[in-house]
Tab-separated table of all heavy atoms in Angstrom:
chain	number	residue	atom	x	y	z
S	1351	GLN	N	96.455	141.423	106.558
S	1351	GLN	CA	95.230	141.794	107.284
S	1351	GLN	C	94.233	142.485	106.348
S	1351	GLN	O	93.032	142.207	106.378
S	1351	GLN	CB	95.597	142.734	108.441
S	1351	GLN	CG	94.419	143.090	109.326
S	1351	GLN	CD	93.916	141.888	110.123
S	1351	GLN	OE1	94.666	141.320	110.911
S	1351	GLN	NE2	92.670	141.486	109.900
S	1353	LEU	N	93.841	142.091	103.172
S	1353	LEU	CA	93.209	141.098	102.296
S	1353	LEU	C	92.236	140.218	103.082
S	1353	LEU	O	91.157	139.872	102.588
S	1353	LEU	CB	94.287	140.245	101.617
S	1353	LEU	CG	95.182	141.033	100.655
S	1353	LEU	CD1	96.444	140.254	100.305
S	1353	LEU	CD2	94.420	141.381	99.376
S	1357	GLY	N	87.820	139.061	102.944
S	1357	GLY	CA	87.327	137.685	102.828
S	1357	GLY	C	88.304	136.715	102.183
S	1357	GLY	O	87.903	135.625	101.754
S	1368	PHE	N	118.050	129.936	97.831
S	1368	PHE	CA	119.439	129.556	97.551
S	1368	PHE	C	120.415	130.286	98.475
S	1368	PHE	O	121.302	131.003	98.031
S	1368	PHE	CB	119.770	129.796	96.066
S	1368	PHE	CG	118.914	128.953	95.147
S	1368	PHE	CD1	117.824	129.495	94.483
S	1368	PHE	CD2	119.161	127.588	95.006
S	1368	PHE	CE1	116.997	128.704	93.682
S	1368	PHE	CE2	118.349	126.784	94.211
S	1368	PHE	CZ	117.264	127.347	93.542
S	1372	MET	N	124.319	127.684	106.201
S	1372	MET	CA	123.245	127.195	107.080
S	1372	MET	C	122.902	128.230	108.155
S	1372	MET	O	121.808	128.191	108.714
S	1372	MET	CB	123.629	125.843	107.705
S	1372	MET	CG	123.555	124.673	106.740
S	1372	MET	SD	122.010	124.604	105.738
S	1372	MET	CE	120.816	123.973	106.922
S	1382	TYR	N	110.365	132.870	110.121
S	1382	TYR	CA	109.093	132.131	109.992
S	1382	TYR	C	108.509	131.776	111.356
S	1382	TYR	O	107.289	131.803	111.544
S	1382	TYR	CB	109.297	130.866	109.148
S	1382	TYR	CG	109.172	131.143	107.673
S	1382	TYR	CD1	110.262	131.064	106.836
S	1382	TYR	CD2	107.942	131.490	107.120
S	1382	TYR	CE1	110.148	131.328	105.480
S	1382	TYR	CE2	107.806	131.752	105.771
S	1382	TYR	CZ	108.914	131.668	104.956
S	1382	TYR	OH	108.784	131.941	103.616
S	1414	ALA	N	118.427	120.969	106.455
S	1414	ALA	CA	117.211	121.594	105.915
S	1414	ALA	C	115.975	120.827	106.393
S	1414	ALA	O	114.968	121.420	106.788
S	1414	ALA	CB	117.256	121.628	104.393
S	1435	ASP	N	107.102	125.521	98.652
S	1435	ASP	CA	107.099	125.943	97.248
S	1435	ASP	C	107.955	124.973	96.433
S	1435	ASP	O	108.893	124.371	96.955
S	1435	ASP	CB	107.723	127.341	97.110
S	1435	ASP	CG	106.814	128.441	97.638
S	1435	ASP	OD1	105.662	128.172	97.998
S	1435	ASP	OD2	107.285	129.597	97.674
S	1440	THR	N	115.888	120.615	89.661
S	1440	THR	CA	116.932	119.886	90.389
S	1440	THR	C	116.540	119.668	91.858
S	1440	THR	O	117.165	118.876	92.552
S	1440	THR	CB	118.276	120.645	90.346
S	1440	THR	OG1	118.094	121.921	90.990
S	1440	THR	CG2	118.763	120.864	88.924
S	1525	ARG	N	94.480	122.758	95.878
S	1525	ARG	CA	94.697	124.208	95.767
S	1525	ARG	C	95.139	124.525	94.340
S	1525	ARG	O	96.163	124.026	93.884
S	1525	ARG	CB	95.793	124.614	96.764
S	1525	ARG	CG	95.335	124.385	98.199
S	1525	ARG	CD	96.421	123.905	99.132
S	1525	ARG	NE	95.790	123.478	100.393
S	1525	ARG	CZ	95.754	124.198	101.498
S	1525	ARG	NH1	96.385	125.337	101.558
S	1525	ARG	NH2	95.118	123.764	102.561
S	1594	GLU	N	106.585	136.618	83.608
S	1594	GLU	CA	105.307	135.968	83.329
S	1594	GLU	C	104.430	136.751	82.359
S	1594	GLU	O	103.495	136.207	81.790
S	1594	GLU	CB	104.542	135.757	84.645
S	1594	GLU	CG	105.008	134.515	85.364
S	1594	GLU	CD	104.726	134.553	86.857
S	1594	GLU	OE1	104.093	135.518	87.329
S	1594	GLU	OE2	105.162	133.624	87.536
S	1606	LEU	N	110.298	153.621	85.136
S	1606	LEU	CA	111.675	154.130	85.115
S	1606	LEU	C	111.731	155.457	84.370
S	1606	LEU	O	112.395	156.407	84.796
S	1606	LEU	CB	112.612	153.114	84.452
S	1606	LEU	CG	112.863	151.830	85.256
S	1606	LEU	CD1	113.693	150.857	84.428
S	1606	LEU	CD2	113.583	152.130	86.568
Side-chain angles (χ1 to χ4, degrees):
Q1351 185 68 61
L1353 295 165
F1368 298 102
M1372 286 313 283
Y1382 274 112
D1435 287 353
T1440 62
R1525 295 143 191 259
E1594 278 157 4
L1606 290 174

